[in-house]
């Protein structure tokens, strides 16, 4: 049997980590190439195939596409792939905070009889949240803490003097609607929590820049008829991108392995 064609959208820190990890993993699965618009540069290894347009990628009939690019890529590319009958793993899931995007993705998946798979990414406990929701949840709260460098290029830059921050500082408190929309490279995890639990409006979010933080920590607390739970993840960032946790890349690899396995655990 020929090995499946697995393609990423984008080839940044996460896709690179996924490619290397799959290669080492021994499953026989590998990243066969990536979709990247012509104007975007890459230093991808030679031999890795590149597609510049969605139409060309669809013509190659990939078995699985993994979006690990941007919210815009989710909006602009994913529906077309699904409509063409191609399953897509979505990593920039903060884009699903927009109801119009979700409706387009659902309609496209139905038309193409394809599946859109939202990854758990850098967070865990979503299985608990999904189960607990069935009996009714009273509250779901998420706290994200990253070093100041990880918040560069976000609205936190206007609110705080990031390079000179001396102590842990909360710069955002609100719901997951704004968090997922305004911090698209940092808080996709709030979308995972929202989708598994109380929705974007019902999820409380607190974001912290902490000069003492060595990695990205994610805290999740939920209360409901089932009881309560609290988890804390201390994630190491990817060397190439301090905003992104290594665990997020591993969760994508796990989604890929699961997709091609006959036993889903
Ligand atoms: N669900 C989760 O828990 C997590 C999600 N993420 C998200 O995953 C995505 C990838 O993360 P990284 O690899 O660290 O980012 P990165 O910035 O290192 O790489 C992004 C790649 O996408 C490319 N790109 C930009 N616009 C594009 C477009 N319209 N079409 C195709 N490619 C495009 C860039 O050139 C680059 O190759 C980001 O959106 C990030 O926010 C990151 C961490 C956790
Ligand atoms: O990787 C992380 O720690 C979280 C992240 O960037 C995101 O949710 O977008």
């Amino acid at each position: 049997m020929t090995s499946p064609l697995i393609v990423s959208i984008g080839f940044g820190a996460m896709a690179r980590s996924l490619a290397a990890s799959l290669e080492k993993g021994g499953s026989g699965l590998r990243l066969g190439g990536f979709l990247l618009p012509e104007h975007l540069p890459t230093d991808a290894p030679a031999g890795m195939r590149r597609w510049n347009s969605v139409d060309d990628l669809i013509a190659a009939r990939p078995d699985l596409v993994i979006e690990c690019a941007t919210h815009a890529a989710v909006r602009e590319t994913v529906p077309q792939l699904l409509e063409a009958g191609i399953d897509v793993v979505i990593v920039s899931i903060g884009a699903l905070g927009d109801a119009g995007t979700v409706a387009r993705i659902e309609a496209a998946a139905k038309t193409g009889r394809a599946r859109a798979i939202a990854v758990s990414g850098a967070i865990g406990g979503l299985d608990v949240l999904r189960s607990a929701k069935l009996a009714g949840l009273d509250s779901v709260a998420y706290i994200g803490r990253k070093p100041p460098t990880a918040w560069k290029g976000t609205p936190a830059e206007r609110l705080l003097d990031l390079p000179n921050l001396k102590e842990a500082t909360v710069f955002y408190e609100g719901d997951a609607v704004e968090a997922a929309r305004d911090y698209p490279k940092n808080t996709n995890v709030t979308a995972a929590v929202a989708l598994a639990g109380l929705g974007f409006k019902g999820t409380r979010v607190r974001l912290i820049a902490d000069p003492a933080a060595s990695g990205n920590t994610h805290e999740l607390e939920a209360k409901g008829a089932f009881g309560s739970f609290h988890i804390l993840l201390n994630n190491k960032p990817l060397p190439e991108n301090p905003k992104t946790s290594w665990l997020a890349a591993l969760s994508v690899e796990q989604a890929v392995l699961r997709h091609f396995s006959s036993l889903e655990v």
Side-chain angles (χ1 to χ4, degrees), residues 8-16 34-37 39-42 67-74 76-77 90-94 119-123 146 183-192 218 238 240-245 247-249 251-252:
S8 64
I9 304 176
F11 196 76
M14 175 122 38
R16 199 175 291 275
F34 56 90
L35 169 70
L36 197 67
H39 67 279
L40 292 174
T42 178
E67 175 288 317
C68 38
T70 61
H71 286 196
V74 174
E76 291 157 14
T77 313
I90 303 174
V91 182
S92 307
I93 59 170
V119 289
S120 55
I123 197 144
K146 295 186 182 186
Y183 299 86
K185 288 176 185 286
N186 275 299
T187 58
N188 290 283
V189 283
T190 61
H218 302 289
L238 285 175
E240 278 184 61
N241 186 353
K243 294 178 195 296
T244 294
S245 299
L247 185 67
S251 94
V252 179

Side-chain angles (χ1 to χ4, degrees), residues 257-265:
L257 295 175
R258 199 142 78 136
H259 188 77
F260 292 104
S261 123
S262 358
L263 174 65
E264 190 167 320
V265 179

Side-chain angles (χ1 to χ4, degrees), residues 2-232:
T2 53
S3 56
L5 178 58
I6 305 170
V7 174
S8 64
I9 304 176
F11 196 76
M14 175 122 38
R16 199 175 291 275
S17 171
L18 173 70
S21 200
L22 277 176
E23 205 77 54
K24 270 200 294 198
S27 64
L29 298 172
R30 55 182 289 275
L31 194 67
F34 56 90
L35 169 70
L36 197 67
E38 208 159 3
H39 67 279
L40 292 174
T42 178
D43 53 357
M48 186 151 270
R49 205 164 157 198
R50 173 177 182 159
W51 288 268
N52 293 322
S53 80
V54 194
D55 287 334
D56 288 348
L57 176 58
I58 289 172
R61 299 308 307 168
D63 297 285
L64 184 65
V65 170
I66 300 141
E67 175 288 317
C68 38
T70 61
H71 286 196
V74 174
R75 287 191 294 272
E76 291 157 14
T77 313
V78 172
Q80 206 182 328
L81 290 163
L82 291 168
E83 234 163 59
I86 296 163
D87 291 342
V88 184
V89 170
I90 303 174
V91 182
S92 307
I93 59 170
L96 304 181
D98 175 56
T101 303
V102 174
R104 272 193 298 284
I105 285 177
E106 282 178 342
K110 216 168 169 184
T111 305
R113 293 171 178 265
R115 289 188 73 214
I117 301 144
V119 289
S120 55
I123 197 144
L126 303 176
D127 49 348
V128 179
L129 208 50
R130 274 193 300 269
S131 306
K133 181 184 175 178
L134 300 176
L137 286 164
D138 298 326
S139 65
V140 178
Y142 163 83
I143 302 172
R145 181 186 297 261
K146 295 186 182 186
T149 47
W151 296 110
K152 266 172 73 176
T154 77
E157 233 170 15
R158 288 197 305 274
L159 301 167
L160 306 175
D161 179 11
L162 288 174
N164 297 308
L165 205 64
K166 296 284 178 289
E167 57 188 33
T169 310
V170 177
F171 61 86
Y172 176 81
E173 279 207 89
D175 60 27
V177 181
E178 267 182 64
R181 186 193 62 211
D182 296 347
Y183 299 86
K185 288 176 185 286
N186 275 299
T187 58
N188 290 283
V189 283
T190 61
V193 172
L195 291 166
L198 279 179
F200 286 81
K201 279 206 177 81
T203 305
R204 306 308 307 159
V205 176
R206 182 187 295 173
L207 303 178
I208 301 169
D210 183 354
S214 57
N216 302 332
T217 70
H218 302 289
E219 250 177 288
L220 177 57
E221 197 175 78
K223 295 190 180 111
F226 76 104
S228 65
F229 87 101
H230 178 215
I231 60 160
L232 168 66

